[in-house]
Amino acid sequence: MAAVPPGIRMLVSFDRDQWYRALTFILTFLLYTSFHLSRKPISIVKSELHKNCSSVSEIATLASSSGSPQPPPQSHHTDMDCSWKPFDKKNYRQLLGAMDYSFLCAYAVGMYLSGIIGERLPIRLYLTVGMLSSGLFTCLFGLGYVYNIHSMGFYVCVQVANGLVQTTGWPSVVTCISNWFGKGRRGLVMGLWNSHTSVGNILGSLIAGYWVSSNWGMSFIVPGIIIAVMGVVCFFFLIEHPNDLKSMYAQNTSPGKRVPTKSWNGVNGHTEVYHQYKDNQTQSYDTELLLPSDSVCVPAQTVVVVKRESEPSAISFMGALRIPGVIEFSLCLLFAKLVSYTFLFWLPLYITKTAHLDAKKAGDLSTLFDVGGIVGGILAGVISDKLGKRATTCAVMLLLAAPTLYGFSMISEFGFGPTIGMLLVCGGLVNGPYSLITTAVSADLGTHKSLKGNARALSTVTAIIDGTGSIGAALGPLLAGLLSAGGWDRVFYMLMTADFLALLCLLRLVTKELTSSKSPPISAVELKEL
């Protein structure tokens, strides 16, 4: 007999619950990857919505200086000629910034409501509707190119609607993943899982960059179709909580363990089921007193024992704010997300303008920032698990990010090699705290000991923290659009200021962690490991 392959032995070594846990991890990872994949195209397409077409006039100038016998044709091209209206005006940066702001402002406002609504609706259905709606609005933006739409109001309305429906994603997936994974090594698990943001940004950049120069409408339509398809997958396969499986398996008991039954015609044609006892079966003393020696049939009555536990009530908004650490981490995320989303929406355009690369090359190069973000998020989770100090880990990374941002502001003076290194390092230090706060810290606070085991607060706490952070995400790109008109240096000064303010918000928690003799993780309530 041949030996069983080691891969098969490894597969059968996992029990049923471990397989379902792996399914939930992979599925929620892919679901939120599609969310970020659909957000990224706007940053790639910006350089196409407003691009420099002065090369035509430059060619004419070169032709006239080369001594051509015939005068070159008169060119009336300007920098605005090849841009997409209404982004062909001199205030195009402000218009692009307003478009970012409309999406992110709607996202920030909707996030506060999303967590409260999500706790009162089935997560699977709530998330499915949000993903299908997001796919629709993402495709609508791309259809602006197909149908030659040049109305600023159209693009702003689509962005606002898309921002609102995208709020269904984050509280839902964080609640779901926290239901399946307990407290042990949460930082590592969440760090690995949260890399979906960077993976989504990378895939979104590559997909949008493929069509940006030829048909930028497809840069939105393809991601819109992808997130809609993932919404259908969510509907068919997402398991919200391990307890959802218990009722299903409780009904599928093994046939060999059932008591033999026999059907008889009862009164008025009704079929009744009887337990059948035979002579060769050993009965208990009490059974023998009740049953004769020959075979009998006793009517069977199904008795269902239901263990009813008190359902915890959903936490209020003010109740969630009173959880220790929620306010500090929410304010810290506001400034940290301001920095991260400024890079998300403006990095490709910045590279285009300073490094003089086309839209596709700038989009491909900007993905290195997200690669660094993957590493930074995982490192932040591992270090915070090891030390048991979430706030201190975030503070150290924020402190190191400030000088890195200053170095990044001089990217145009570096060569290609140092630029790649700076993108990786800056991405890790900027996205590390952002990743840790939105995942492990939110899950810790959502299961804080003050809640006395009420896990229904997790969605609301997650929404409050990420909603406050989304205010910074809305302000960052808007301010970048306003400040970049006076030079990119002003944008980086704003980012460094926001970085220091994020650090200041954590000082009280850092002091508390460092002065305590023993610093356990924030939550003393451990979710049940399955």
PDB file of all heavy atoms in Angstrom, residues 238-255:
ATOM      1  N   LEU A 238     -20.643  33.611   3.107  1.00  0.00           N
ATOM      2  CA  LEU A 238     -20.180  34.226   4.353  1.00  0.00           C
ATOM      3  C   LEU A 238     -20.924  33.656   5.555  1.00  0.00           C
ATOM      4  O   LEU A 238     -22.159  33.647   5.585  1.00  0.00           O
ATOM      5  CB  LEU A 238     -20.358  35.745   4.292  1.00  0.00           C
ATOM      6  CG  LEU A 238     -19.841  36.501   5.530  1.00  0.00           C
ATOM      7  CD1 LEU A 238     -18.329  36.355   5.644  1.00  0.00           C
ATOM      8  CD2 LEU A 238     -20.230  37.968   5.475  1.00  0.00           C
ATOM      9  N   ILE A 239     -20.164  33.200   6.546  1.00  0.00           N
ATOM     10  CA  ILE A 239     -20.718  32.708   7.814  1.00  0.00           C
ATOM     11  C   ILE A 239     -20.394  33.757   8.880  1.00  0.00           C
ATOM     12  O   ILE A 239     -19.230  33.990   9.186  1.00  0.00           O
ATOM     13  CB  ILE A 239     -20.120  31.337   8.203  1.00  0.00           C
ATOM     14  CG1 ILE A 239     -20.302  30.341   7.054  1.00  0.00           C
ATOM     15  CG2 ILE A 239     -20.773  30.807   9.463  1.00  0.00           C
ATOM     16  CD1 ILE A 239     -19.545  29.037   7.265  1.00  0.00           C
ATOM     17  N   GLU A 240     -21.416  34.354   9.455  1.00  0.00           N
ATOM     18  CA  GLU A 240     -21.199  35.483  10.341  1.00  0.00           C
ATOM     19  C   GLU A 240     -20.563  35.081  11.672  1.00  0.00           C
ATOM     20  O   GLU A 240     -19.701  35.782  12.197  1.00  0.00           O
ATOM     21  CB  GLU A 240     -22.532  36.187  10.614  1.00  0.00           C
ATOM     22  CG  GLU A 240     -23.216  36.708   9.361  1.00  0.00           C
ATOM     23  CD  GLU A 240     -24.584  37.281   9.662  1.00  0.00           C
ATOM     24  OE1 GLU A 240     -24.851  37.562  10.857  1.00  0.00           O
ATOM     25  OE2 GLU A 240     -25.376  37.458   8.735  1.00  0.00           O
ATOM     26  N   HIS A 241     -20.998  33.949  12.229  1.00  0.00           N
ATOM     27  CA  HIS A 241     -20.566  33.557  13.573  1.00  0.00           C
ATOM     28  C   HIS A 241     -20.486  32.043  13.645  1.00  0.00           C
ATOM     29  O   HIS A 241     -21.283  31.342  12.995  1.00  0.00           O
ATOM     30  CB  HIS A 241     -21.555  34.098  14.618  1.00  0.00           C
ATOM     31  CG  HIS A 241     -21.012  34.121  16.011  1.00  0.00           C
ATOM     32  ND1 HIS A 241     -20.911  32.985  16.792  1.00  0.00           N
ATOM     33  CD2 HIS A 241     -20.528  35.145  16.758  1.00  0.00           C
ATOM     34  CE1 HIS A 241     -20.400  33.308  17.972  1.00  0.00           C
ATOM     35  NE2 HIS A 241     -20.156  34.613  17.973  1.00  0.00           N
ATOM     36  N   PRO A 242     -19.567  31.475  14.419  1.00  0.00           N
ATOM     37  CA  PRO A 242     -19.497  30.015  14.541  1.00  0.00           C
ATOM     38  C   PRO A 242     -20.793  29.390  15.044  1.00  0.00           C
ATOM     39  O   PRO A 242     -21.113  28.256  14.689  1.00  0.00           O
ATOM     40  CB  PRO A 242     -18.354  29.803  15.544  1.00  0.00           C
ATOM     41  CG  PRO A 242     -17.511  31.027  15.439  1.00  0.00           C
ATOM     42  CD  PRO A 242     -18.450  32.145  15.120  1.00  0.00           C
ATOM     43  N   ASN A 243     -21.546  30.136  15.862  1.00  0.00           N
ATOM     44  CA  ASN A 243     -22.797  29.586  16.386  1.00  0.00           C
ATOM     45  C   ASN A 243     -23.830  29.345  15.283  1.00  0.00           C
ATOM     46  O   ASN A 243     -24.769  28.564  15.475  1.00  0.00           O
ATOM     47  CB  ASN A 243     -23.383  30.528  17.434  1.00  0.00           C
ATOM     48  CG  ASN A 243     -22.534  30.564  18.694  1.00  0.00           C
ATOM     49  OD1 ASN A 243     -21.796  29.627  18.979  1.00  0.00           O
ATOM     50  ND2 ASN A 243     -22.639  31.649  19.446  1.00  0.00           N
ATOM     51  N   ASP A 244     -23.668  30.024  14.143  1.00  0.00           N
ATOM     52  CA  ASP A 244     -24.612  29.833  13.045  1.00  0.00           C
ATOM     53  C   ASP A 244     -24.555  28.417  12.480  1.00  0.00           C
ATOM     54  O   ASP A 244     -25.519  27.955  11.863  1.00  0.00           O
ATOM     55  CB  ASP A 244     -24.334  30.840  11.927  1.00  0.00           C
ATOM     56  CG  ASP A 244     -24.546  32.276  12.375  1.00  0.00           C
ATOM     57  OD1 ASP A 244     -25.248  32.474  13.383  1.00  0.00           O
ATOM     58  OD2 ASP A 244     -24.004  33.192  11.728  1.00  0.00           O
ATOM     59  N   LEU A 245     -23.430  27.748  12.692  1.00  0.00           N
ATOM     60  CA  LEU A 245     -23.283  26.387  12.173  1.00  0.00           C
ATOM     61  C   LEU A 245     -23.866  25.335  13.104  1.00  0.00           C
ATOM     62  O   LEU A 245     -24.157  24.218  12.677  1.00  0.00           O
ATOM     63  CB  LEU A 245     -21.800  26.075  11.945  1.00  0.00           C
ATOM     64  CG  LEU A 245     -21.087  26.884  10.868  1.00  0.00           C
ATOM     65  CD1 LEU A 245     -19.593  26.597  10.914  1.00  0.00           C
ATOM     66  CD2 LEU A 245     -21.632  26.554   9.493  1.00  0.00           C
ATOM     67  N   LYS A 246     -24.033  25.685  14.377  1.00  0.00           N
ATOM     68  CA  LYS A 246     -24.451  24.677  15.351  1.00  0.00           C
ATOM     69  C   LYS A 246     -25.849  24.170  15.072  1.00  0.00           C
ATOM     70  O   LYS A 246     -26.123  22.971  15.169  1.00  0.00           O
ATOM     71  CB  LYS A 246     -24.359  25.266  16.757  1.00  0.00           C
ATOM     72  CG  LYS A 246     -22.932  25.555  17.198  1.00  0.00           C
ATOM     73  CD  LYS A 246     -22.894  26.117  18.618  1.00  0.00           C
ATOM     74  CE  LYS A 246     -21.460  26.395  19.042  1.00  0.00           C
ATOM     75  NZ  LYS A 246     -21.384  26.970  20.407  1.00  0.00           N
ATOM     76  N   SER A 247     -26.754  25.070  14.707  1.00  0.00           N
ATOM     77  CA  SER A 247     -28.124  24.636  14.436  1.00  0.00           C
ATOM     78  C   SER A 247     -28.187  23.729  13.213  1.00  0.00           C
ATOM     79  O   SER A 247     -28.973  22.782  13.173  1.00  0.00           O
ATOM     80  CB  SER A 247     -29.023  25.862  14.230  1.00  0.00           C
ATOM     81  OG  SER A 247     -28.527  26.637  13.151  1.00  0.00           O
ATOM     82  N   MET A 248     -27.333  24.021  12.229  1.00  0.00           N
ATOM     83  CA  MET A 248     -27.332  23.209  11.020  1.00  0.00           C
ATOM     84  C   MET A 248     -26.846  21.789  11.309  1.00  0.00           C
ATOM     85  O   MET A 248     -27.449  20.807  10.866  1.00  0.00           O
ATOM     86  CB  MET A 248     -26.443  23.860   9.955  1.00  0.00           C
ATOM     87  CG  MET A 248     -26.403  23.091   8.637  1.00  0.00           C
ATOM     88  SD  MET A 248     -25.323  23.852   7.412  1.00  0.00           S
ATOM     89  CE  MET A 248     -23.705  23.514   8.135  1.00  0.00           C
ATOM     90  N   TYR A 249     -25.779  21.671  12.091  1.00  0.00           N
ATOM     91  CA  TYR A 249     -25.242  20.347  12.380  1.00  0.00           C
ATOM     92  C   TYR A 249     -26.064  19.607  13.435  1.00  0.00           C
ATOM     93  O   TYR A 249     -26.041  18.392  13.503  1.00  0.00           O
ATOM     94  CB  TYR A 249     -23.794  20.467  12.837  1.00  0.00           C
ATOM     95  CG  TYR A 249     -22.842  20.716  11.689  1.00  0.00           C
ATOM     96  CD1 TYR A 249     -22.291  21.969  11.477  1.00  0.00           C
ATOM     97  CD2 TYR A 249     -22.512  19.696  10.803  1.00  0.00           C
ATOM     98  CE1 TYR A 249     -21.422  22.207  10.415  1.00  0.00           C
ATOM     99  CE2 TYR A 249     -21.652  19.918   9.739  1.00  0.00           C
ATOM    100  CZ  TYR A 249     -21.114  21.172   9.560  1.00  0.00           C
ATOM    101  OH  TYR A 249     -20.271  21.409   8.507  1.00  0.00           O
ATOM    102  N   ALA A 250     -26.799  20.354  14.251  1.00  0.00           N
ATOM    103  CA  ALA A 250     -27.640  19.698  15.249  1.00  0.00           C
ATOM    104  C   ALA A 250     -28.777  18.932  14.590  1.00  0.00           C
ATOM    105  O   ALA A 250     -29.241  17.910  15.104  1.00  0.00           O
ATOM    106  CB  ALA A 250     -28.200  20.728  16.219  1.00  0.00           C
ATOM    107  N   GLN A 251     -29.224  19.396  13.427  1.00  0.00           N
ATOM    108  CA  GLN A 251     -30.310  18.731  12.716  1.00  0.00           C
ATOM    109  C   GLN A 251     -29.832  17.521  11.925  1.00  0.00           C
ATOM    110  O   GLN A 251     -30.622  16.667  11.547  1.00  0.00           O
ATOM    111  CB  GLN A 251     -30.988  19.719  11.761  1.00  0.00           C
ATOM    112  CG  GLN A 251     -31.629  20.894  12.482  1.00  0.00           C
ATOM    113  CD  GLN A 251     -32.129  21.951  11.512  1.00  0.00           C
ATOM    114  OE1 GLN A 251     -31.968  21.803  10.303  1.00  0.00           O
ATOM    115  NE2 GLN A 251     -32.721  23.008  12.032  1.00  0.00           N
ATOM    116  N   ASN A 252     -28.532  17.460  11.661  1.00  0.00           N
ATOM    117  CA  ASN A 252     -27.985  16.363  10.846  1.00  0.00           C
ATOM    118  C   ASN A 252     -27.327  15.322  11.746  1.00  0.00           C
ATOM    119  O   ASN A 252     -26.128  15.123  11.702  1.00  0.00           O
ATOM    120  CB  ASN A 252     -26.971  16.907   9.841  1.00  0.00           C
ATOM    121  CG  ASN A 252     -27.605  17.881   8.880  1.00  0.00           C
ATOM    122  OD1 ASN A 252     -28.778  17.789   8.571  1.00  0.00           O
ATOM    123  ND2 ASN A 252     -26.815  18.834   8.398  1.00  0.00           N
ATOM    124  N   THR A 253     -28.104  14.696  12.621  1.00  0.00           N
ATOM    125  CA  THR A 253     -27.562  13.667  13.496  1.00  0.00           C
ATOM    126  C   THR A 253     -27.337  12.387  12.720  1.00  0.00           C
ATOM    127  O   THR A 253     -27.958  12.131  11.689  1.00  0.00           O
ATOM    128  CB  THR A 253     -28.532  13.389  14.656  1.00  0.00           C
ATOM    129  OG1 THR A 253     -29.803  13.062  14.119  1.00  0.00           O
ATOM    130  CG2 THR A 253     -28.671  14.622  15.552  1.00  0.00           C
ATOM    131  N   SER A 254     -26.455  11.550  13.244  1.00  0.00           N
ATOM    132  CA  SER A 254     -26.100  10.310  12.550  1.00  0.00           C
ATOM    133  C   SER A 254     -27.273   9.335  12.559  1.00  0.00           C
ATOM    134  O   SER A 254     -27.880   9.097  13.599  1.00  0.00           O
ATOM    135  CB  SER A 254     -24.883   9.681  13.237  1.00  0.00           C
ATOM    136  OG  SER A 254     -24.602   8.435  12.652  1.00  0.00           O
ATOM    137  N   PRO A 255     -27.600   8.719  11.401  1.00  0.00           N
ATOM    138  CA  PRO A 255     -28.731   7.771  11.355  1.00  0.00           C
ATOM    139  C   PRO A 255     -28.528   6.579  12.263  1.00  0.00           C
ATOM    140  O   PRO A 255     -29.490   6.031  12.781  1.00  0.00           O
ATOM    141  CB  PRO A 255     -28.788   7.344   9.890  1.00  0.00           C
ATOM    142  CG  PRO A 255     -28.083   8.439   9.136  1.00  0.00           C
ATOM    143  CD  PRO A 255     -27.028   8.947  10.072  1.00  0.00           C
TER     144      PRO A 255
END
